Amino acid sequence: MIEADVLATATNWQDQGHKVALATVVATWGSSPRPVGSQLAVDETGRMVGSVSGGCIEGAVVHEARQIMEGAPPKLLTFGVTDEDAWSVGLACGGTVKVFVESLV
């Protein structure tokens, strides 16, 4: 899915009256399954569109997105692993991913 589809879907959910949070990959180091600028939108019902990692960190990002939709401040999340731990969290070659999560208003 291209990023424009993520934003269009997020806008559509907002137009329907749903709370929406947007997560954006803002930095990577080493191996990363998704490039800087990749986005994931989440609404309060749990619907998601897009991806910030191909699935390996989405659960943690959605957890933070739900808290932010309920009033927590925007947050910069950092996920990093050693090469030895990489497979267990899904970042196949190690590396670091920084994701900014904000509520859309």
Side-chain angles (χ1 to χ4, degrees):
M1 173 172 286
I2 61 174
E3 301 308 325
D5 291 339
V6 172
L7 296 176
T9 300
T11 300
N12 187 33
W13 290 342
Q14 280 189 301
D15 291 345
Q16 295 171 7
H18 295 282
K19 294 179 181 177
V20 179
L22 184 66
T24 304
V25 175
V26 295
T28 64
W29 180 86
S31 176
S32 173
R34 301 282 293 149
V36 170
S38 298
Q39 294 181 312
L40 169 72
V42 181
D43 79 356
E44 85 277 9
T45 68
R47 290 185 293 184
M48 301 184 301
V49 62
S51 174
V52 291
S53 73
C56 53
I57 62 172
E58 262 75 1
V61 171
V62 168
H63 175 77
E64 294 293 338
R66 287 184 167 194
Q67 292 183 1
I68 291 166
M69 282 186 281
E70 294 304 317
K75 194 168 189 180
L76 180 62
L77 307 173
T78 301
F79 300 92
V81 295
T82 64
D83 288 347
E84 293 78 27
D85 295 330
W87 283 106
S88 66
V89 297
L91 292 173
C93 299
T96 301
V97 177
K98 290 188 176 188
V99 179
F100 185 72
V101 185
E102 60 191 321
S103 181
L104 298 181
V105 291

